[in-house]
Amino acid sequence: MASRNDLAASALETLPITAAVIDETGEILLTNQSWRAFSPETQTDHVGVDYIAMVTAADDEHARRALEGIEAVVEGDRDSFAMEYPCHSPDQKQWFLMRVSPFTDGDRRLVSLVHLEITDRKLAEIAAEENAERVREERRALEHVLERVDGLVRDVTDAAVSAETRDAIERDVCARLAETDPYVLAWIGRTDVTNRRLTPREWAGEDTVPLETDELVLGTDETHPAVRAFTDGEPQVIQDLAAFDDADRWWPTGADEHLHSVIALPLTYGDVTYGVLVVLADESGAFDERERFVLESLAETIATAMNALEVRRMLTTETVVSIELTIEDPSLFVTRVADAVDAAISYRGLTTDADGTPLCFLHADREIDADGVASPFPDGHDVTLLSGDESGTVLEVAVGDGIVTALSEHGGVIREFTAADGVADLTVDLPNGRSARSAYDALERRYDRVELVRYHETEEPTRATEDVTARLESSLTDRQLTALQKAYYANYFEWPRDVSGEELAASMDISRSTFHQHLRTAQRKLLDELFE
């Protein structure tokens, strides 16, 4: 049987650690296989070598620390010593943990030296520290961004909300944006519905014009992000202007220029687009998802402020915008009626039936019999003949969600609406330019061809009859108002009458006596408003 010392020596040979034993003088007495294999080119066991002298010769920071620790343990000043140190080769990086521990063999004081490779752990620690540093850097960057964004949002919101005019909103907003890094230029463009142009109205930046050209043409300059933003109603981003094919048409993008990325945002409130906000930055990729979210929120704030000013102006002025349009689309209901009855059609007015369906009154320029309007409309329009003679015919059409109701939602008052030979001519008054732009855009999206013939803005005096009409409509029930409107539009008050009370009652699906009761009540309330 092997002796205890032989057994220990054999076990030491198999350990996957580099181990050696030295005496009080530092002489190496014993090494194991891992020690010898550490230098495969020599395969030396270093027995008899002065280890302390070897460490002293290394003369670097790690060697000096190791020497101090080993000597302290050898001399009995320390019970043990441990340190981590690098031992890199040209081919790879390595780290080791050295442990120095004393023990006795008879009356001799010996010291064991163990070198354990910890490369995997150190690499993991370094990776963890690098990740932690990246997180800290990202946090510092995020804190900087949040601080910048908070100031930007506050400044732009204050500028938009406190301004007294739309021009002031545009001017102050552009100035605040251009002062914020990395933005170098901001401009706001407005559209002209008559010539289909998008033109910068206000801008701010480092002595830079917003466009190389003076304006953009809707329908032509479609690659420009401002035009696309206005047309599509969605933000448009170009992260690298140098890689954008059409950049040189609108911006100086040479190597010495400072315009590198751009975002264009529609200024939209509800279904009204007031214009486009364009911001350019002096670095590529400036408009990431976080930046876009902030600027989209600011665009909404700006549009809301513009809407508030428009509403206030509507309440304090009597501006009326009149637009004249030509519409060519076979689906337009007045065109369909004109084609179906083979007559020129003109609009007379609008009311609603009992279930809220809009009813439009039209006049045809010839006499039409009941069979001529029985069912000419495959898309479901319900047409009723109210009255007629050789001078013309009054028709009632259930129009649903169509052009008349759409114009009403924009505050429009139809002054003239005629259709003949596939073409409709429309004249409508709207409360302001915003409503006119909105109504025009809505019609252009809905119908095949819409041409703006005339745009006219006037200041009209307040008319007392509008107040009377408002009070009258609020005092009448829906049925009373419908009875009065039907009677008026169907020429019931003409003499001789074109239509009887019984026919009008039938059109409302009520009895003749009930119709006359509604009509008399409505007439009395009308007279009350006029004479009391």
Side-chain angles (χ1 to χ4, degrees):
M1 174 177 282
S3 68
R4 182 176 179 183
N5 288 341
D6 292 340
L7 184 62
S10 298
L12 184 64
E13 285 290 296
T14 64
L15 293 177
I17 57 175
T18 302
V21 176
I22 65 174
D23 63 12
E24 293 178 328
T25 66
E27 180 183 345
I28 297 176
L29 304 178
L30 176 68
T31 61
N32 69 345
Q33 175 60 31
S34 295
W35 182 288
R36 296 189 293 275
F38 188 74
S39 300
E41 67 280 0
T42 62
Q43 281 288 311
T44 179
D45 59 11
H46 293 106
V47 173
V49 174
D50 187 343
Y51 185 76
I52 292 179
M54 289 174 55
V55 174
T56 303
D59 193 25
D60 61 35
E61 178 185 354
H62 301 294
R64 286 191 292 272
R65 285 182 56 209
L67 180 61
E68 292 175 0
I70 293 170
E71 288 181 336
V73 173
V74 168
E75 294 172 3
D77 295 334
R78 297 185 61 163
D79 293 335
S80 64
F81 172 72
M83 66 170 284
E84 296 177 0
Y85 66 95
C87 186
H88 306 321
S89 70
D91 299 328
Q92 65 179 14
K93 292 183 178 296
Q94 290 179 300
W95 286 265
F96 290 87
L97 169 64
M98 182 180 73
R99 290 188 179 277
V100 182
S101 303
F103 67 97
T104 58
D105 179 30
D107 59 354
R108 289 195 304 173
R109 181 179 176 83
L110 305 177
V111 174
S112 64
L113 303 173
V114 175
H115 297 263
L116 176 64
E117 186 175 1
I118 57 171
T119 300
D120 291 343
R121 177 171 68 80
K122 290 297 293 184
L123 290 175
E125 290 176 353
I126 291 172
E129 178 57 31
E130 290 175 349
N131 288 336
E133 179 59 30
R134 281 196 296 270
V135 171
R136 287 191 291 268
E137 183 62 30
E138 289 176 0
R139 182 181 296 112
R140 287 191 291 267
L142 179 60
E143 290 173 352
H144 172 71
V145 168
L146 291 177
E147 181 179 356
R148 179 181 68 84
V149 166
D150 180 64
L152 174 64
V153 172
R154 183 176 58 252
D155 290 347
V156 172
T157 301
D158 289 346
V161 173
S162 61
E164 294 297 326
T165 65
R166 180 173 171 180
D167 289 341
I169 291 178
E170 295 171 341
R171 181 176 58 253
D172 294 346
V173 164
C174 290
R176 302 295 176 88
L177 287 169
E179 293 169 355
T180 304
D181 290 335
Y183 312 148
V184 293
L185 173 64
W187 61 272
I188 291 179
R190 297 190 198 179
T191 56
D192 186 336
V193 296
T194 57
N195 59 23
R196 305 293 290 165
R197 296 295 195 272
L198 175 63
T199 307
R201 289 294 299 268
E202 295 288 346
W203 62 88
E206 298 179 356
D207 299 324
T208 304
V209 295
L211 289 170
E212 290 292 280
T213 57
D214 294 332
E215 60 188 9
L216 299 168
V217 181
L218 301 180
T220 300
D221 296 322
E222 291 296 326
T223 59
H224 194 287
V227 175
R228 297 205 313 273
F230 180 82
T231 302
D232 300 342
E234 297 290 339
Q236 303 293 325
V237 178
I238 300 174
Q239 296 286 25
D240 185 7
L241 285 178
F244 181 58
D245 291 340
D246 287 340
D248 291 336
R249 292 177 57 191
W250 300 296
W251 306 288
T253 57
D256 297 332
E257 300 297 340
H258 56 277
L259 302 180
H260 295 288
S261 56
V262 61
I263 185 171
L265 307 107
L267 300 177
T268 302
Y269 181 88
D271 62 350
V272 180
T273 300
Y274 289 97
V276 180
L277 168 65
V278 181
V279 183
L280 293 103
D282 61 359
E283 59 186 44
S284 298
F287 302 104
D288 56 18
E289 184 177 356
R290 180 173 51 203
E291 203 80 4
R292 282 186 56 177
F293 176 79
V294 172
L295 290 173
E296 286 176 28
S297 298
L298 290 177
E300 292 177 2
T301 299
I302 296 166
T304 301
M306 290 179 174
N307 175 261
L309 287 179
E310 287 280 359
V311 171
R312 185 167 62 191
R313 189 172 70 88
M314 287 171 57
L315 296 175
T316 56
T317 64
E318 299 299 329
T319 300
V320 173
V321 173
S322 178
I323 58 175
E324 296 179 16
L325 306 169
T326 296
I327 304 174
E328 293 186 39
D329 191 310
S331 68
L332 181 62
F333 85 97
V334 290
T335 303
R336 293 184 65 84
V337 172
D339 291 343
V341 301
D342 191 22
I345 294 294
S346 59
Y347 170 85
R348 297 205 64 187
L350 183 72
T351 187
T352 57
D353 64 9
D355 62 5
T357 301
L359 301 175
C360 182
F361 298 97
L362 303 176
H363 181 267
D365 68 350
R366 71 178 185 86
E367 185 175 11
I368 302 169
D369 59 33
D371 293 337
V373 295
S375 57
F377 306 107
D379 54 358
H381 285 305
D382 186 13
V383 180
T384 303
L385 191 154
L386 292 182
S387 65
D389 55 26
E390 65 277 2
S391 64
T393 304
V394 177
L395 304 173
E396 176 187 274
V397 183
V399 293
D401 183 18
I403 184 173
V404 177
T405 53
L407 291 172
S408 297
E409 291 171 356
H410 288 82
V413 177
I414 296 175
R415 296 303 179 192
E416 182 180 354
F417 198 8
T418 62
D421 300 325
V423 178
D425 295 312
L426 170 66
T427 301
V428 58
D429 290 346
L430 295 124
N432 51 51
R434 173 186 64 83
S435 299
R437 286 192 301 272
S438 175
Y440 178 85
D441 291 340
L443 296 179
E444 190 178 44
R445 288 192 298 268
R446 179 174 296 192
Y447 300 111
D448 291 344
R449 179 177 175 271
V450 179
E451 180 182 352
L452 181 64
V453 177
R454 183 173 179 268
Y455 180 100
H456 183 61
E457 184 172 330
T458 60
E459 295 283 340
E460 292 192 353
T462 302
R463 292 179 293 179
T465 54
E466 292 180 349
D467 297 333
V468 173
T469 301
R471 291 197 303 270
L472 177 63
E473 290 182 351
S474 66
S475 66
L476 295 175
T477 67
D478 292 341
R479 298 293 254 176
Q480 292 165 359
L481 180 60
T482 300
L484 187 61
Q485 289 175 318
K486 276 181 175 278
Y488 176 76
Y489 293 128
N491 295 330
Y492 178 78
F493 299 111
E494 299 292 333
W495 189 259
R497 288 173 176 166
D498 292 340
V499 62
S500 69
E502 186 173 359
E503 291 171 316
L504 291 177
S507 73
M508 294 179 64
D509 197 22
I510 58 177
S511 67
R512 180 175 179 275
S513 61
T514 301
F515 170 78
H516 283 292
Q517 181 181 355
H518 289 324
L519 183 59
R520 283 194 298 272
T521 302
Q523 289 175 307
R524 178 178 55 79
K525 291 181 178 180
L526 173 61
L527 294 174
D528 287 343
E529 289 294 338
L530 290 175
F531 298 124
E532 286 190 357

